Amino acid sequence: MDTMTVARVSLLSSFTYNTLQSDVVFGPGALARLPAELDRLGFRRALLLTTPEQAGEVARLGALLGSRLVGAFTEARMHVPVATASAARTRARELHADCTVAFGGGSTIGLGKALALDPGIPQVAVDTTYAGSSRTPIWGLTENGRKTTGTDARVLPRLTLFDPELTFTLPARVTAASGLNAMAHCVEALYSEQANPVTALVAEEGLRALGASLPRAVREPQNVEARTGALYGAFLAGTALGSVGMALHHKLCHTLGGSFDLPHAETHAAVLAHVVRYNEKHAPEAIAAVARALGTDDAAARLFALLTELELPTSLRELGLAETALDSAADLATQRPYFNPRPVDRASIRGLLGDAFAGRLAPRT
Ligand code: NAD
């Protein structure tokens, strides 16, 4: 038996695997299926959720859904402020909504999750970015600059509709950054503490689809093939994120976003290559899968090069982090123990953050 076969046998010999109970409709033009899907699920009074930037979609959804749509709340915001969730709840109660239709990315779907949690209104998501929130049971709420997150099966959307044509308007910067955010879900799923053969397949295929499609989706936003490939990769990435626990990368980005107000997806993009370099010797099979999916022999270098190719900021400095914040970021990110393939200690994490701040990828050792 060669070493690949031995590794596979050991991975297959013992694992646990949980299936997400959530329907998916995927494909160009899938939005047209929404009325029939609401009818199938027995929903009659939908409240539409959007951000102010996507409020223009209310008219289109009104025409599509007719009397199934009872109203709209167009104030969804990044990281779901508690006050926003409370205002949306009031609107849902006034309208006797029996479901929400969240049309947008992680911010809007996050608001739908808050309503699914309390007062328990099920969500149908029309996911229009690559962040992957619609495939996970993870919710988050923010108050006074503090984000609280949790996992609850009730917040997983009852159905997600992925229509690549709805991503034609996704700005190049959000396309690139939320695409890298999705790649980060795949990378960490591959070396997750709960990694299993099924999520490994999903994550590697997600990386392959995103790696092949993102550069073209950024250059040619209306190319349906590129948009379909990227959204397919994002669907797989979200599924991986919703199935297994994450590690150092997500911890660092949560800390940088939550405590230093850095933009969510761009931070994921700027940090990912550094975490891959940090972990590569301690998760060789997983990082080999990343490299295979991206068609390279140096996964970290390829992820770092993608930043320039996709015209994304290559450093935390460019994202507005102050150099004086690096010490407290390292403290915060190492306060409590969590799983990571390579042990996490303050000095090493301070080094990693210093590299990410300067936009300088450490060489392979
Ligand atoms: P987002 O939802 O904040 O969207 C970014 C901007 O792009 C918004 O203005 C939005 O209206 C606009 N937009 C979205 N789709 C568009 C389209 N197709 N065309 C034109 N404009 C469009 O961005 P995001 O990266 O999807 O979500 C980030 C948020 O999601 C963060 O709060 C993050 O913490 C959360 N998130 C949660 C999970 C989870 O599992 N709970 C997973 C990933 C991200």
Side-chain angles (χ1 to χ4, degrees):
M1 254 194 299
D2 62 21
T3 48
M4 266 297 270
T5 316
V6 172
R8 207 158 177 75
V9 169
S10 67
L11 189 63
L12 288 175
S13 62
S14 169
F15 62 87
T16 60
Y17 172 66
N18 300 310
T19 307
L20 294 171
Q21 297 298 323
S22 168
D23 301 341
V24 169
V25 175
F26 186 100
L31 182 64
R33 294 262 303 270
L34 186 56
E37 289 297 327
L38 291 181
D39 293 346
R40 180 179 69 80
L41 295 168
F43 296 138
R44 293 197 170 80
R45 299 184 61 81
L47 171 66
L48 177 63
L49 306 176
T50 72
T51 58
E53 295 80 18
Q54 287 178 290
E57 299 291 349
V58 175
R60 172 173 25 180
L61 272 286
L64 179 68
L65 296 178
S67 62
R68 297 174 190 86
L69 189 69
V70 292
F73 180 88
T74 57
E75 297 301 322
R77 297 250 181 283
M78 183 78 94
H79 301 315
V80 196
V82 165
T84 307
S86 161
R89 258 179 221 123
T90 305
R91 186 113 180 90
R93 279 203 193 94
E94 283 165 4
L95 295 167
H96 302 289
D98 63 3
C99 75
T100 57
V101 170
F103 187 105
S107 298
T108 309
I109 292 162
L111 178 60
K113 287 178 171 183
L115 271 65
L117 201 58
D118 171 22
I121 303 174
Q123 168 172 204
V124 169
V126 181
D127 202 337
T128 65
T129 72
Y130 304 141
S133 175
S134 68
R135 298 291 296 148
T136 84
I138 307 162
W139 57 267
L141 281 165
T142 307
E143 192 168 30
N144 302 325
R146 263 202 62 172
K147 186 163 179 175
T148 309
T149 60
T151 299
D152 191 314
R154 287 174 301 166
V155 309
L156 186 68
R158 182 67 192 79
L159 164 87
T160 299
L161 203 145
F162 290 100
D163 184 341
E165 289 175 3
L166 300 178
T167 62
F168 285 171
T169 49
L170 194 62
R173 174 88 175 236
V174 189
T175 297
S178 74
L180 262 291
N181 188 185
M183 286 179 139
H185 305 332
C186 296
V187 168
E188 295 231 297
L190 282 163
Y191 56 60
S192 165
E193 196 172 16
Q194 293 84 29
N196 62 67
V198 182
T199 48
L201 288 172
V202 167
E204 185 172 338
E205 173 68 358
L207 275 169
R208 193 202 55 72
L210 286 159
S213 309
L214 272 183
R216 235 167 106 212
V218 166
R219 280 195 315 271
E220 302 167 43
Q222 310 233 355
N223 182 315
V224 74
E225 203 185 309
R227 286 298 194 179
T228 302
L231 197 60
Y232 174 59
F235 151 59
L236 295 175
T239 304
L241 174 70
S243 307
V244 294
M246 297 285 115
L248 175 64
H249 174 83
H250 282 72
K251 174 73 184 175
L252 284 177
C253 294
H254 186 85
T255 302
L256 291 165
S259 304
F260 303 96
D261 212 23
L262 294 198
H264 174 83
E266 284 90 343
T267 304
H268 271 270
V271 169
L272 183 58
H274 303 280
V275 174
V276 168
R277 185 62 94 225
Y278 184 84
N279 279 332
E280 65 188 355
K281 278 201 171 153
H282 294 253
E285 271 181 60
I287 303 304
V290 177
R292 191 162 58 231
L294 299 180
T296 177
D297 66 350
D298 185 342
R302 177 66 196 130
L303 289 166
F304 192 63
L306 255 183
L307 296 176
T308 307
E309 212 172 295
L310 301 178
E311 296 184 20
L312 282 169
T314 55
S315 68
L316 295 178
R317 187 205 318 261
E318 283 170 82
L319 293 178
L321 188 71
E323 193 161 10
T324 48
L326 290 174
D327 282 322
S328 55
D331 289 340
L332 284 169
T334 52
Q335 247 168 14
R336 288 198 207 104
Y338 49 88
F339 170 81
N340 190 60
R342 176 174 162 187
V344 167
D345 64 89
R346 195 211 174 269
S348 314
I349 296 308
R350 176 64 179 81
L352 186 166
L353 285 169
D355 287 342
F357 177 80
R360 162 191 71 217
L361 183 66
R364 253 176 174 171
T365 51

